[in-house]
Amino acid sequence: RNSRLVLGLPTGRTPVAFYHELAARVESGEADLSQATTFNLDEFVGIPAGHPGRFRSSITAHLFRRVNLAAERIHFLDGAAADTDAECARYERAIAAAGGIDILILGLGTNGHIGFNEPAPALPARTHRVTLEPDTRAGNAELFGGDPAAVPPEALSMGIATILQARQVILVATGQAKATVVERLVRGPVTPELPGSFLQVHPDVEIMLDTAAAAGLARS
Ligand code: GLP
């Protein structure tokens, strides 16, 4: 309905089925992304162009190579940038220049991270460089031949304020491993120790769960 939509997009396993469905609808002519803009949420630091572990590589394989987005309107954080602070600042400017994000789709880490905003006593508001937790590296090992030690120790990520400024947020979580963190995100306090809990203060959030991920909410 809005041909000039600005989308924020996650990687990980959760959105893959959605990307395939969206690509199928573009291929059948039901959806048109030719005027849309996208901003990826996050990226590992220091892996070179063409490496299959880059989030850019996986979302390109699942979505971008199949849809009619204009290349100049597909935005990525460059984790191989020499100056990552400048890269993060450039990304914030690019989001602002596009008019802000209309719909931001999020996955959820089992530790409560959104993007790569890891649990911490305090969270940087804006796009920033972050050190990843061992759990998070293990969770992404599949992209690096199954070896958590091969997963880069750092990443760039949109910040919590960048995320909360999206006009609409859709969080998607599937599987039993997310059930406890989903319950805490929805019912617990807003805390930087569970970054996804900040979504409680956003005025337009939809949370989409399968039965397994919703088990904690169903219990109480
Ligand atoms: C990754 C990414 C997130 C993603 C999350 C969940 O580490 N940084 O953007 O949403 O963890 O991943 P998955 O969907 O594979 O469970």
Side-chain angles (χ1 to χ4, degrees):
R1 289 195 293 268
N2 172 8
S3 64
R4 305 192 68 82
L5 198 67
V6 180
L7 282 166
L9 297 174
T11 35
R13 281 149 294 207
T14 310
V16 169
F18 162 66
Y19 291 152
H20 289 182
E21 178 65 21
L22 181 58
R25 290 189 189 199
V26 170
E27 283 163 357
S28 72
E30 213 179 319
D32 176 15
L33 297 178
S34 59
Q35 302 302 313
T37 298
T38 64
F39 287 91
N40 265 47
L41 258 183
D42 48 16
E43 184 58 274
F44 295 108
V45 165
I47 35 179
H51 189 289
R54 287 211 309 179
F55 281 165
R56 178 178 184 145
S57 308
S58 56
I59 197 168
T60 298
H62 290 303
L63 184 68
F64 295 145
R65 72 178 170 79
R66 291 180 61 190
V67 297
N68 60 347
L69 278 157
E72 68 274 17
R73 285 193 284 274
I74 299 176
H75 299 274
F76 297 103
L77 277 159
D78 179 6
D83 181 344
T84 51
D85 286 347
E87 173 61 4
C88 292
R90 177 197 69 80
Y91 212 57
E92 289 285 337
R93 287 195 303 273
I95 293 170
I101 295 170
D102 294 310
I103 302 179
L104 176 63
I105 299 169
L106 295 175
L108 179 65
T110 50
N111 65 1
H113 73 225
I114 48 176
F116 269 135
N117 291 278
E118 295 279 48
L123 298 173
R126 293 291 166 190
T127 301
H128 60 285
R129 183 169 176 157
V130 59
T131 300
L132 301 177
E133 290 200 343
D135 265 14
T136 299
R137 293 176 73 194
N140 283 280
E142 205 178 295
L143 293 168
F144 295 86
D147 177 11
V151 179
E154 292 180 290
L156 306 181
S157 177
M158 286 186 196
I160 287 292
T162 321
I163 289 171
L164 291 178
Q165 275 179 351
R167 285 180 266 280
Q168 185 183 353
V169 176
I170 301 174
L171 177 95
V172 187
T174 57
Q176 194 196 338
K178 307 279 172 77
T180 304
V181 75
V182 164
E183 184 189 5
R184 289 173 57 214
L185 184 156
V186 172
R187 299 224 171 105
V190 176
T191 167
E193 298 297 345
L194 200 161
S197 67
F198 276 83
L199 296 176
Q200 291 183 28
V201 306
H202 192 285
D204 189 353
V205 179
E206 190 166 345
I207 300 183
M208 303 183 74
L209 308 168
D210 66 357
T211 309
L217 295 171
R219 256 197 309 270
S220 33

